[in-house]
Amino acid sequence: MAEQFDAVVIGTGPAGLMAADELAQAGHSVLLCEAKPSVARKLLMAGKSGLNLTKDEEFDELIHNFGAAAEWLTPMLREFDGAAVQTWARRLGIEIFTGSTGRVFPKVMKSSPLLRAWLLELDQKDVQRRTRWRWSGWDGGALKFETPDGSQNVDASVTVLALGGASWSRLGSDGAWTSLLSGKGVELAPFQPANAGLLVNWSDHMAARFGAPIKGISLQAGALVSRGEAVISQRGLEGGGIYSISAGVREGAPLVLDLLPDLEEDEVAQRLTRPRGKASLANHLRKMLKLDPARIALLQEFGRPLPQAPQELARLIKALAVKHSGLRPIDEAISTAGGVAQTALDDGLMLKKIPGVFCAGEMLDWEAPTGGYLLTGCLATGRWAGRAAAQYLSEP
């Protein structure tokens, strides 16, 4: 006999945990299933370098970072915006702080204390968890899972899918669910890398700069502009500044760096006209413009032969075109664009083709930069889907 629950949530990332939380809060029996041996692996990985929970800013500024999906996600994020994320974290007993750029972190910086507190709360609400349970579709009306004990079926009145995108497959987001939904006629947008590093075939002299941070720059790809930082890696460029404009690069826009975004071109040119004497060009750039070795290396890498005329050199410094080989492969991206299309869902994130099945998190066709936006979007859509599923259960 198949087990029976009011609701089954498949996927234990932030969206899945939030959906399970909402369903249990409404008084429903909930089974939470995870294909991996442990839950929330991507959330734990994100916390290794400091868990950026959200961004403390006005809603209009926050929603702008969700690009083409902003209008679709607006009602969900209005109900669970950056302020709401902070309130939720404090309710779990997590002390938080806001950095100088508005990014919000737990004081301990790690994600594990927050996850432990959240799982304890779900346990207290009697949410049952199963790990190593991989969803393999439907057996008639029942959900079918491949488990260490063989194939298992579960009957549920509603299902929330929070299966992630197609990046970091070793952490659980492998996109294998797409065939199950497309087979039911669900409209999907193809996956593409988002928040991805840039591949660059460096010349040999750049090896000395591998690992160097690039600060004090502006990056632009099409309409996307960032004042974030980047890092020179052996394979190219990565870091928050690159990730936030990677969607523009993906769409074919050239990537241009402004190495001195706080100075106008004429001011840069004027400083370059000062006598150089016997100083090397690198020393001249360092003294006159306060360019550090990392930015000088980029200028020489992408701008050689450097123009001698101050105005032309200033123009190059203010708009340095980056020669690259595209974005890193999709499995190396932090997140993905693509997934379940908006047109496949109703206003409650329920699949039109499969009544009673809801979707949330990165498996939906939206993208947002790191810096708190991505996690906020996952939490907000998980909460929205969980509440809609609870409402669906309460209807005759």
Side-chain angles (χ1 to χ4, degrees), residues 53-113:
L53 283 169
T54 191
K55 190 79 178 288
D56 188 6
E57 61 189 7
E58 295 296 323
F59 183 79
D60 287 348
E61 190 172 350
L62 181 142
I63 196 65
H64 175 73
N65 287 275
F66 289 82
E71 183 177 356
W72 177 29
L73 298 181
T74 287
M76 306 173 207
L77 286 161
R78 277 201 185 280
E79 289 204 4
F80 205 73
D81 60 5
V85 172
Q86 295 175 67
T87 299
W88 165 77
R90 292 190 185 100
R91 182 179 61 75
L92 288 174
I94 304 301
E95 293 186 74
I96 58 177
F97 73 95
T98 302
S100 58
T101 61
R103 296 195 295 169
V104 179
F105 300 87
K107 283 191 175 180
V108 295
M109 295 300 285
K110 300 177 182 178
S111 52
S112 50

Side-chain angles (χ1 to χ4, degrees), residues 364-389:
L364 302 176
D365 182 21
W366 62 277
E367 63 180 307
T370 56
Y373 302 110
L374 189 62
L375 181 53
T376 300
C378 288
L379 292 169
T381 57
R383 179 179 182 272
W384 188 268
R387 290 197 164 192

